[in-house]
């Protein structure tokens, strides 16, 4: 900035400070624009009870479900699968149907969800002509098969469960082929990590071991070999490293953290191959070593050298601590090492300070995704402070400030960007002991 510009600015600041309207304009122009609302919410005091007005929440959640279902005919695309397509909305309808106080709506919700499922399955399968495309979980067919099996179970249609499980299982052989996708075969949206998250979800929800241990172990082994080979070729500091379209992402979306998280969620593999388990753990420790002093993780390795300015920093589930925290929490449960728990606590503190995101209410890069961090920490530590914080974030979505200033996401009704995921989060505020970020349960 040249001296003349500087003196003009000083003059302007002096003048503006005497005129509140001008000061406001000045703030907008020259102050760094934050990606989050300043957190002025009351924090929890030790010993305080956390009061949750269930009736109020029921009313809000049901109204949101209605808004989302009304948008289905005009404002929701089939593209984008569970992530941002209508299939994600069908998952939300499935999820709210499992909540006992809403049983009176169950038949209606399942009916809508099943018609979305039937329509989207045909669409997705037609779009995924190559066998390798069927591995795709968050964006494609294997996610639909998971959804179909869940809906079949809930509506007690055994043939629907079996049909979808068979289709899901048939995809596994593709998953084992090295480099079955040219762009990166291991990540969460279209690669092996997503497929494993589908298998883990089905096992937990339906109680059927969809993939046998040999198959799971082969998929995990393919992930370890792929990461080790890439790391060696690129001389990475982490024993395992992956790239998706040439970017070495570190966060939950496409990145190292969700890949490692899915591997360590498969106990049969850790037992069967302790040597690989150690390599995986060393990679977790490498990722942990990159945690910034304020608790965050950069989106990709190229930002480890020169990171973003504070105003550009991402504190999202997709990129940043609110997504990596699931890996760290799982690592704590698997290896009982206190360092992982401390790292989770740092993620949660950061999320409390910078997690009231302006990008919208969703779970991928919105306030509900931040709120889920507190529900995770609540389940992990049993500390009521985190439940209080989750409720505060949930209520903030209804505040005037948020309603007036938050942006509308590209897919405002979807599971990951929009209101469908927000509904899942709000429902989980009412059942915090079993709260789970969609397809990311670590307990
Ligand atoms: Zn995101």
């Amino acid at each position: 900035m040249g001296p003349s510009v500087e003196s003009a600015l000083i003059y302007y600041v002096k003048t503006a400070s005497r005129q509140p309207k001008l000061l406001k304009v000045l703030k907008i122009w020259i102050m760094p624009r934050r990606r989050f609302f300043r957190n002025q919410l009351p924090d929890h005091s030790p010993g305080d009870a956390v009061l949750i007005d269930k009736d109020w929440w029921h009313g809000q959640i049901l109204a949101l479900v209605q808004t989302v279902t009304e948008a289905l005919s005009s404002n929701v695309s089939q593209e984008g699968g569970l992530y941002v397509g209508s299939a994600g909305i069908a998952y939300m309808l499935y999820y709210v149907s499992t909540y006992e106080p809403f049983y009176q709506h169950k038949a209606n919700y399942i009916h809508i969800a099943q018609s979305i499922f039937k329509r989207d399955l045909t669409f997705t399968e037609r779009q995924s002509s190559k066998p390798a495309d069927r591995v795709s979980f968050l964006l494609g067919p294997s996610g639909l098969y998971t959804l179909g099996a869940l809906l079949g179970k809930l509506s007690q249609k055994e043939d629907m469960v079996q049909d979808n499980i068979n289709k899901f299982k048939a995809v596994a052989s593709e998953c084992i082929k090295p480099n079955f996708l040219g762009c990166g075969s291991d990540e969460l949206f279209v690669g092996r990590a997503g497929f494993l998250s589908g298998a883990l979800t089905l096992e937990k929800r339906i109680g059927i071991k969809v993939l046998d241990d040999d198959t799971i172990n082969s998929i995990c082994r393919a992930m370890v070999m792929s990461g080790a080979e890439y790391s060696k070729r690129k001389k990475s500091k982490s024993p395992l490293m992956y790239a998706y379209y040439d970017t070495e992402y570190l966060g939950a979306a496409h990145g190292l953290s969700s890949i490692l998280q899915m591997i360590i969620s498969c106990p049969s593999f850790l037992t069967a191959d302790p040597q690989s388990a150690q390599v995986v753990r060393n990679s977790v420790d490498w990722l942990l070593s990159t945690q910034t002093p304020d608790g965050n993780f950069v989106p990709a390795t190229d930002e480890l050298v020169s990171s973003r300015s504070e105003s550009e920093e991402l504190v999202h589930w997709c990129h940043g601590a609110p997504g990596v925290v699931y890996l760290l929490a799982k690592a704590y449960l698997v290896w009982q090492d206190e360092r992982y728990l401390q790292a989770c606590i740092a993620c949660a503190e950061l999320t409390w300070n910078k997690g009231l995101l302006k990008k919208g209410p969703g779970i991928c890069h919105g306030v509900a995704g931040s709120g889920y961090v507190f529900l995770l920490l609540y389940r992990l530590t049993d500390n009521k402070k985190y439940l209080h914080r989750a409720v505060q974030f949930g209520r903030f979505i209804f505040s005037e400030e948020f309603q007036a200033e938050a942006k509308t996401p590209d897919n405002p009704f979807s599971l990951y960007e929009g209101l469908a995921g927000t509904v899942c989060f709000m429902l989980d505020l009412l059942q915090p002991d079993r709260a789970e970020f969609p397809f990311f349960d670590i307990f």
Side-chain angles (χ1 to χ4, degrees):
M1 194 186 292
S4 57
V5 177
E6 199 172 338
S7 53
L9 201 56
I10 289 168
Y11 172 78
Y12 191 56
V13 170
K14 279 183 180 167
T15 317
S17 62
R18 292 190 291 271
Q19 299 177 40
K21 263 191 189 167
L22 263 179
L23 191 63
K24 202 174 172 188
V25 172
L26 191 66
K27 262 190 185 168
I28 291 167
W29 277 359
I30 65 166
M31 297 295 278
R33 300 188 77 174
R34 288 203 191 96
R35 289 172 178 267
F36 54 90
F37 297 94
R38 200 153 68 87
N39 187 351
Q40 295 174 300
L41 303 170
D43 205 355
H44 184 251
S45 303
D48 279 2
V50 180
L51 301 172
I52 298 174
D53 182 348
K54 284 201 169 184
D55 288 342
W56 184 84
W57 281 106
H58 287 170
Q60 300 297 332
I61 293 168
L62 290 172
L64 286 175
V65 174
Q66 192 173 342
T67 304
V68 173
T69 48
E70 280 170 5
L72 270 168
S73 56
S74 52
N75 282 315
V76 180
S77 164
Q78 287 175 279
E79 296 265 4
L82 292 169
Y83 184 60
V84 290
S86 39
I89 291 175
Y91 173 81
M92 176 275 281
L93 291 169
Y94 155 81
Y95 198 61
V96 291
S97 300
T98 62
Y99 181 63
E100 211 178 319
F102 290 169
Y103 274 4
Q104 55 182 310
H105 304 284
K106 187 173 164 181
N108 182 33
Y109 289 165
I110 292 181
H111 175 73
I112 303 170
Q114 281 182 339
S115 39
I116 297 172
F117 167 73
K118 272 185 207 152
R119 193 195 59 176
D120 286 10
L121 182 66
T122 314
F123 173 81
T124 309
E125 284 185 329
R126 204 183 307 133
Q127 283 212 319
S128 314
S129 49
K130 287 189 294 226
D133 295 341
R134 301 215 166 187
V135 174
S136 175
F137 179 73
L138 278 185
L139 296 179
S142 79
L144 265 292
Y145 304 148
T146 304
L147 173 67
L150 294 174
L151 285 171
K153 179 73 179 176
L154 198 61
S155 52
Q156 296 173 319
K157 291 183 178 168
E158 203 41 52
D159 50 344
M160 189 177 177
V161 176
Q162 215 43 60
D163 186 36
N164 282 288
I165 284 182
N166 290 343
K167 284 179 169 180
F168 186 90
K169 278 164 112 167
V171 172
S173 57
E174 284 304 317
C175 239
I176 298 161
K177 293 178 185 165
N179 201 19
F180 70 91
L181 289 175
C183 58
S185 307
D186 300 281
E187 57 78 75
L188 187 72
F189 282 53
V190 294
R192 297 180 180 111
F195 186 70
L196 280 183
S197 91
L200 293 165
T201 301
L202 287 171
E203 188 176 340
K204 187 157 282 184
R205 293 276 184 77
I206 300 187
I208 299 174
K209 206 160 167 44
V210 180
L211 304 178
D212 58 41
D213 282 350
D214 281 350
T215 307
I216 287 189
N217 294 355
S218 302
I219 297 172
C220 290
R221 199 166 299 117
M223 291 163 93
V224 170
M225 282 170 67
S226 156
E229 187 276 324
Y230 180 90
S231 168
K232 196 175 167 196
R233 185 156 45 89
K234 297 285 180 174
K235 299 186 173 58
S236 172
K237 286 184 178 155
S238 169
L240 300 178
M241 185 51 71
Y242 304 85
Y244 185 60
Y245 286 104
D246 299 326
T247 299
E248 295 171 1
Y249 291 105
L250 297 177
H254 313 305
L256 180 65
S257 79
S258 55
I259 296 171
L260 298 177
Q261 179 190 325
M262 293 310 157
I263 299 174
I264 68 171
S265 297
C266 299
S268 65
F269 178 66
L270 301 182
T271 312
D273 192 343
Q275 216 172 341
S276 290
Q278 189 57 49
V279 173
V280 174
R281 186 169 182 186
N282 292 345
S283 306
V284 175
D285 286 346
W286 175 81
L287 186 56
L288 178 62
S289 77
T290 70
Q291 190 170 30
T292 63
D294 72 344
N296 206 8
F297 292 86
V298 297
T301 52
D302 55 351
E303 297 190 32
L304 285 169
V305 197
S306 61
S307 56
R308 300 166 184 236
S309 64
E310 203 191 353
S311 61
E312 288 298 308
E313 184 188 14
L314 300 182
V315 183
H316 301 167
W317 171 81
C318 47
H319 302 291
V324 179
V325 69
Y326 293 87
L327 165 69
L328 299 168
K330 186 69 196 177
Y332 175 63
L333 294 176
V334 172
W335 293 301
Q336 295 294 316
D337 183 333
E338 197 68 17
R339 289 177 309 137
Y340 301 131
L341 179 63
Q342 290 311 317
C344 290
I345 292 169
C347 291
E349 288 309 305
L350 171 80
T351 308
W352 176 247
N353 292 321
K354 296 184 178 176
L356 290 175
L357 300 171
K358 291 183 175 173
K359 268 193 161 182
I363 60 172
C364 187
H365 36 260
V367 176
S370 303
Y372 259 125
V373 174
F374 306 128
L375 289 177
L376 174 78
L377 265 284
Y378 175 65
R379 286 192 70 179
L380 202 61
T381 64
D382 220 14
N383 184 338
K384 286 210 158 35
K385 172 174 85 175
Y386 295 115
L387 181 58
H388 165 91
R389 288 179 169 187
V391 174
Q392 291 293 318
F393 269 45
R395 291 197 76 117
F396 183 76
I397 291 169
F398 298 102
S399 71
E400 264 179 45
E401 189 182 11
F402 182 82
Q403 294 291 326
E405 291 177 45
K407 293 183 191 129
T408 304
D410 295 338
N411 300 283
F413 305 100
S414 64
L415 183 61
Y416 276 73
E417 282 189 349
L419 291 177
T422 314
V423 164
C424 295
F425 163 65
M426 289 177 177
L427 196 77
D428 280 343
L429 290 175
L430 310 180
Q431 47 179 6
D433 295 328
R434 45 186 288 211
E436 54 175 84
F437 189 103
F439 315 111
F440 237 48
D441 188 18
I442 56 140
F443 293 99

